[in-house]
Amino acid sequence: MKKGLVLEGGGLRALFSAGVTDVMMENQIKFDGLIGVSAGATFGCNYKSEQSGRALRYNIALKDDPRYMGWRSFLKTGDLVGADFSYHILPTQLDIFDNEAFCRNPMEFHVVCTDAETGEPVYKKLDTMDSEGLDWIRASASMPIVSRPVPLEGRKLLDGGIVNSIPLKHFQELGFERNIVVLTQPKGFFKKRTKLMPLFHLTMRKYPAIIKAMSRRHLMYNEQLRYLTEQESRGNVLLIYPENTLPIGRTEQNEEKMRFVYQMGRTCAEENLKNILNFLQVEN
C-alpha cells in the first residue's frame, strides 16, 4: 500500500505545514510520495532533501531583503516573489538546497500547476531539483495578478491552487491509497467567492481561463473539503490542520508571526505523532 503526503498551499500559512513536516522528518517518518501545491511544494521539497528547519530559516533570514518578496520586487520584475533571486540564487548560493539528497531519496515528489491558457491542472513529477525543477516549483507558487506566468514545456503556468488546491484525488489515482493531508485552514473552514474578481477581470484579460477558474475556485475548494471528510470517514486519510485560523497573511514577513505559526505546526505534529505512526503502520 503506497503512502502519500499531500500539502496544501497558502503562502506563509504553509509555515504551519513546515512545522508539521519537520517533526515528521525528525521522527524518521517515510512516505512513498509527496504532492505539494504552491507553498506546499516550495516548502515540501525540503522533505525529500531531508532539510528540517530550512523553510523557516530562509524566510526569517530574507524577510527584509527586497529581492526576496515585496512590492519593490513586483514593480521591478512583475513578480511579488522575486523569480531569479528566490528560486535560483537563494537555493544555490544563500541557503543551499541539497539536490544530491533530493535525488537520493526514493520518495516521489510531485507538484501541481495551472495552465494559464486552458485553466487545466498540470502535474509534474520532479526527480531532480535542477534549474528547470526549481522553475516548476516557482510555477506552482506563482499567484495570479502578482506573478508572471512561467513558461515550461510549451505552456504558461501559474499557481496550482487555482484549480486543484488539495490534490488528494489525483494522488489516489496515481496509486497512493493511504494519505496524510496537511491543511493550512482549520476544521470547519468554508471558502467564499473571492472579492477580487474585478481585479482579475482587469489584470488577467489575456487569460480568460484563469478568470473563469478563479470565479469558481471556492466551489472547487469546498467540494475538495467534502471529499476529504468522506475519505477520512473511510479511514483512507489522516487530516492534520491548525486548531484556529493561522494569524499570518500569505505574504506577511513578520518574524514573530512566522515563528509562532511554525511552532503551531510543530506542536500539532507532536500531539498527533502517535496517530500519524499508527495510521501509516496499517497494511493491507
Side-chain angles (χ1 to χ4, degrees):
M1 180 181 290
K2 292 172 70 175
K3 298 164 186 175
L5 178 60
V6 180
L7 301 180
E8 181 184 16
L12 270 294
R13 291 201 312 268
L15 283 174
F16 172 84
S17 307
V20 172
T21 55
D22 281 355
V23 168
M24 292 197 292
M25 264 192 280
E26 291 158 12
N27 283 274
Q28 302 299 309
I29 294 175
K30 307 294 184 182
F31 294 90
D32 298 299
L34 183 159
I35 186 165
V37 183
S38 193
T42 304
F43 298 164
C45 60
N46 296 303
Y47 206 118
K48 185 169 167 62
S49 65
E50 300 177 342
Q51 290 178 280
S52 176
R54 181 173 178 269
L56 179 67
R57 183 175 64 239
Y58 73 70
N59 271 285
I60 289 176
L62 298 171
K63 63 183 178 62
D64 297 320
D65 193 321
R67 298 172 297 174
Y68 178 50
M69 183 188 300
W71 292 111
R72 189 183 302 181
S73 172
F74 177 70
L75 293 173
K76 185 175 181 179
T77 69
D79 294 297
L80 188 70
V81 179
D84 187 56
F85 180 81
S86 301
Y87 294 100
H88 294 283
I89 294 174
L90 189 167
T92 61
Q93 300 177 31
L94 302 179
D95 196 320
I96 296 175
F97 183 79
D98 192 342
N99 191 40
E100 289 186 8
F102 181 92
C103 296
R104 189 167 58 243
N105 189 333
M107 180 181 74
E108 294 182 17
F109 182 76
H110 299 249
V111 300
V112 187
C113 304
T114 299
D115 188 316
E117 296 178 318
T118 67
E120 295 296 319
V122 176
Y123 305 101
K124 182 71 173 181
K125 178 174 173 283
L126 298 177
D127 297 316
T128 181
M129 203 59 71
D130 56 9
S131 181
E132 183 177 316
L134 292 166
D135 276 335
W136 277 99
I137 297 287
R138 172 192 163 203
S140 182
S142 288
M143 297 178 290
I145 298 178
V146 294
S147 306
R148 296 169 296 166
V150 181
L152 283 166
E153 295 185 357
R155 299 184 176 98
K156 295 179 180 180
L157 303 177
L158 284 169
D159 194 317
I162 298 170
V163 291
N164 197 349
S165 298
I166 312 168
L168 170 64
K169 187 177 290 187
H170 174 75
F171 227 31
Q172 290 174 325
E173 291 170 352
L174 292 181
F176 293 90
E177 302 171 76
R178 199 162 186 80
N179 293 280
I180 291 179
V181 180
V182 184
L183 303 174
T184 57
Q185 296 286 7
K187 187 175 184 178
F189 175 78
F190 183 83
K191 185 175 284 296
K192 299 178 181 178
R193 191 173 191 263
T194 178
K195 296 179 180 179
L196 297 177
M197 285 312 303
L199 190 56
F200 278 99
H201 281 283
L202 179 65
T203 61
M204 303 299 292
R205 286 173 294 179
K206 291 176 60 178
Y207 303 104
I210 295 298
I211 297 173
K212 181 179 179 180
M214 287 304 302
S215 72
R216 297 182 51 81
R217 184 169 182 252
H218 63 298
L219 302 175
M220 172 273 295
Y221 189 90
N222 293 330
E223 171 57 26
Q224 290 187 328
L225 292 180
R226 185 205 63 77
Y227 184 72
L228 285 178
T229 300
E230 173 195 302
Q231 291 298 302
E232 182 184 38
S233 68
R234 293 184 179 184
N236 299 328
V237 167
L238 178 65
L239 299 180
I240 305 292
Y241 45 76
E243 288 188 6
N244 303 295
T245 300
L246 296 172
I248 193 169
R250 280 179 170 270
T251 59
E252 194 167 2
Q253 293 286 285
N254 179 293
E255 180 175 347
E256 183 178 350
K257 290 183 179 181
M258 287 192 283
R259 290 188 183 278
F260 183 76
V261 168
Y262 173 79
Q263 187 57 48
M264 285 179 68
R266 288 193 64 93
T267 300
C268 183
E270 289 162 357
E271 292 175 347
N272 283 280
L273 192 56
K274 185 175 181 180
N275 292 335
I276 292 169
L277 293 169
N278 289 339
F279 178 80
L280 293 174
Q281 284 171 1
V282 174
E283 299 292 345
N284 288 324

